[in-house]
């Protein structure tokens, strides 16, 4: 313990506080303390100040900026927490306090609180509404992927796509998927894929881990980047039991990255079977249609022949009737009945007595020829 004395040989506030600080820090190791949060404030510097209390007492606490960054959200007034820290004394004011390095919510905790707060906010904006969900393209030419370039997730996704649809292109926009700043990297990677305009569908995710490991996909930056994406997004974070804010905003939630790849592309083997089956059906339909067409053609030819014969018979009857009428009106028919027609040398028919002159020669047309004649006299009526 320091033994510095003042001018009169006594202690000063500084020496007392320094001695007390050394005594406290040398006596107590880092320890977990349970209590309720009171008067929690976050300064502009990023440092957090609050009190930890129980029914009878309270301890002033400080959490420096670097440690406070790891908090998913700020604890609420009266929230039950447990803190890990070291006891000390702030010499400048002689205040006993605990410097907190870790703060955990008891019960559902800070992680659940932060999740529910953001979920409520996004629900109020309509970003989690099922009406916003877009269908995935059936046959994408390119699949975008946002995940770590070194993790198992990207290997699983590539393996599944290569097996199911080897003709599909894959565009990777790599990002850190855990740790400080990971959410901003994931959001930037999503927007980069969108700006490229090449991908038809986008897979965003990572493999499994703890709640803290997966937390980047529970942050608002990632949720808004997914909501703004002009192409459909499949969220594939962790394992089947993990659930994140990204799952709520995405167009489809896949339980694993491998399942996301299966949802993104069709099964090539199944497509080939379908094409083969379709080819067989098309061949059968073609044969059946040709057979039906052949039978229809034969029927049409028979019907056409019957119609033609009927029309020709009708036309023959009609022509015969007309021919009979024309024959009845024909001069030849008149001649056949015993009449004769006088015709002048120029071929003009002589119809009246005025056209005949004594000694005039003409021909007399009868039924079977003509007779040369000459006018001997004219007897007008």
């Amino acid at each position: 313990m320091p033994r510095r004395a003042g001018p009169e040989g006594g202690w000063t506030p500084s020496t007392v506080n320094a001695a007390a600080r050394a005594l406290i820090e040398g006596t107590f190791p880092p320890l977990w303390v349970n209590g309720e949060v009171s008067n929690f404030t976050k300064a502009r510097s990023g440092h957090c100040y609050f009190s930890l209390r129980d029914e009878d007492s309270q301890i002033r606490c400080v959490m420096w900026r670097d440690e406070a960054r790891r908090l998913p959200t700020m604890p609420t007034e009266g929230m039950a927490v447990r803190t890990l820290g070291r006891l000390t004394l702030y010499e400048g004011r002689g205040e006993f306090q605990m410097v907190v390095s870790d703060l955990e919510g008891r019960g559902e905790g800070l992680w659940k609180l932060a999740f529910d707060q953001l979920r409520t906010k996004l629900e109020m904006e309509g970003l989690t509404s099922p009406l916003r969900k877009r269908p995935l393209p059936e046959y994408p030419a390119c699949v975008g992927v946002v995940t770590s370039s070194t993790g198992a997730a990207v290997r699983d996704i590539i393996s599944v796509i290569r097996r199911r649809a080897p003709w599909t292109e894959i565009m990777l926009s790599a990002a850190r998927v855990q740790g400080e700043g990971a959410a901003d990297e994931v959001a930037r990677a999503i927007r980069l894929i969108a700006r490229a305009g090449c991908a038809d569908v986008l897979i965003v995710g990572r493999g499994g881990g703890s709640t803290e490991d997966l937390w980047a996909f529970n942050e608002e930056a990632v949720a808004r980047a997914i909501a703004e994406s002009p192409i459909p997004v499949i969220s594939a974070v962790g394992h089947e039991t993990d659930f994140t804010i990204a799952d709520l905003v995405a167009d489809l939630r896949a339980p694993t990255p491998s399942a996301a790849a299966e949802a993104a592309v069709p099964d090539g083997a199944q497509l080939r079977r379908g094409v083969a089956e379709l080819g067989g059906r098309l061949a059968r339909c073609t044969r059946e249609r040709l057979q039906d067409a052949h039978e229809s053609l034969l029927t049409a030819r028979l019907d056409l022949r019957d119609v033609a014969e009927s029309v020709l018979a009708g036309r023959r009857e009609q022509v015969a009737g007309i021919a009979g009428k024309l024959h009845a009106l024909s001069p030849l028919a008149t001649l056949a009945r015993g009449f004769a027609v006088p015709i002048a040398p120029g071929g003009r028919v002589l119809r009246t007595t005025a056209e005949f002159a004594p000694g005039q020669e003409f021909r007399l047309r009868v039924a079977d020829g003509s007779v040369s004649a000459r006018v001997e006299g004219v007897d007008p009526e």
Side-chain angles (χ1 to χ4, degrees):
M1 182 181 299
R3 292 285 182 179
R4 289 185 300 164
E8 294 79 22
W11 290 73
T12 65
S14 297
T15 56
V16 171
N17 288 347
R21 175 181 177 181
L23 179 62
I24 293 171
E25 292 182 353
T27 303
F28 293 93
L31 67 163
W32 287 96
V33 180
N34 299 327
E36 294 181 357
V37 172
S38 175
N39 300 320
F40 191 99
T41 58
K42 184 175 183 179
R44 294 180 61 184
S45 62
H47 305 320
C48 296
Y49 303 93
F50 60 98
S51 295
L52 196 64
R53 68 187 182 190
D54 59 16
E55 295 179 356
D56 301 317
S57 301
Q58 66 177 11
I59 302 173
R60 294 180 63 85
C61 301
V62 60
M63 193 172 194
W64 304 127
R65 178 179 56 245
D66 291 342
E67 286 75 19
R69 284 200 189 105
R70 298 199 304 269
L71 294 177
T73 188
M74 300 300 104
T76 58
E77 183 71 18
M79 183 177 184
V81 299
R82 73 168 190 155
T83 59
L84 175 63
R86 56 183 178 82
L87 299 178
T88 186
L89 185 137
Y90 179 47
E91 295 184 34
R93 288 198 296 267
E95 294 179 350
F96 176 71
Q97 64 180 11
M98 183 168 70
V99 177
V100 176
S101 58
D102 199 359
L103 187 152
E104 298 177 356
R106 301 178 66 185
E108 294 185 333
L110 290 178
W111 303 103
K112 181 64 165 57
L113 176 63
F115 184 97
D116 290 341
Q117 288 174 342
L118 182 55
R119 178 174 187 166
T120 300
K121 180 179 180 180
L122 298 177
E123 285 177 349
M124 292 180 64
E125 296 181 25
L127 298 186
T128 62
S129 171
L131 299 177
R132 294 187 68 257
K133 309 299 183 184
R134 295 163 294 187
L136 303 183
E138 292 187 15
Y139 307 104
C142 178
V143 175
V145 180
V146 172
T147 189
S148 169
S149 60
T150 60
V154 69
R155 294 194 297 271
D156 293 342
I157 291 171
I158 292 174
S159 174
V160 171
I161 292 177
R162 288 286 175 261
R163 172 172 52 82
R164 289 172 61 88
W167 60 84
T168 305
E169 294 183 350
I170 302 172
M171 175 181 288
L172 174 64
S173 184
R176 289 189 301 118
V177 293
Q178 73 181 67
E180 186 177 347
D184 291 333
E185 285 195 23
V186 171
R188 282 195 297 270
I190 292 172
R191 293 189 173 97
L192 181 62
I193 291 282
R195 285 196 300 270
C198 300
D200 301 305
V201 64
L202 175 60
I203 298 174
V204 179
R206 55 155 292 159
S210 66
T211 299
E212 189 171 358
D213 292 339
L214 306 181
W215 195 252
F217 298 91
N218 284 322
E219 295 200 26
E220 187 171 357
V222 172
R224 295 202 178 277
I226 292 175
E228 295 167 5
S229 172
I231 59 176
V233 177
I234 304 173
S235 175
V237 182
H239 301 302
E240 188 169 359
T241 56
D242 297 317
F243 198 83
T244 65
I245 292 293
D247 296 329
L248 296 174
V249 182
D251 298 286
L252 177 70
R253 175 195 179 248
T256 63
S258 296
E262 291 180 356
V265 297
D267 185 351
Q270 185 175 352
L271 284 178
R272 287 189 289 271
R273 290 193 297 270
V275 169
E277 181 181 350
L278 184 61
R281 291 173 58 188
L282 182 60
R284 289 194 299 273
C285 289
T286 302
R287 288 194 299 270
E288 292 173 359
R289 292 294 296 272
L290 288 175
Q291 180 65 28
D292 292 344
H294 181 67
E295 294 176 358
S296 298
L297 181 60
L298 290 178
T299 302
R301 290 178 60 185
L302 293 175
D303 292 344
L304 181 60
R305 185 182 66 184
D306 294 342
V307 170
E309 291 177 354
S310 176
V311 170
L312 289 174
R315 290 289 185 270
R316 282 194 293 268
E317 292 178 1
Q318 186 177 9
V319 169
I322 293 173
K325 292 179 181 180
L326 291 175
H327 180 71
L329 298 174
S330 172
L332 296 177
T334 302
L335 295 176
R337 292 197 298 271
F339 293 92
V341 178
I343 301 173
R348 180 170 57 86
V349 176
L350 303 173
R351 293 181 175 82
T352 64
T353 58
E355 296 179 87
F356 291 91
Q360 177 184 348
E361 293 183 350
F362 64 93
R363 298 187 67 82
L364 191 65
R365 182 72 167 87
V366 294
D368 58 350
S370 62
V371 177
S372 299
R374 184 171 56 194
V375 179
E376 294 295 334
V378 179
D379 297 319
E381 292 182 354

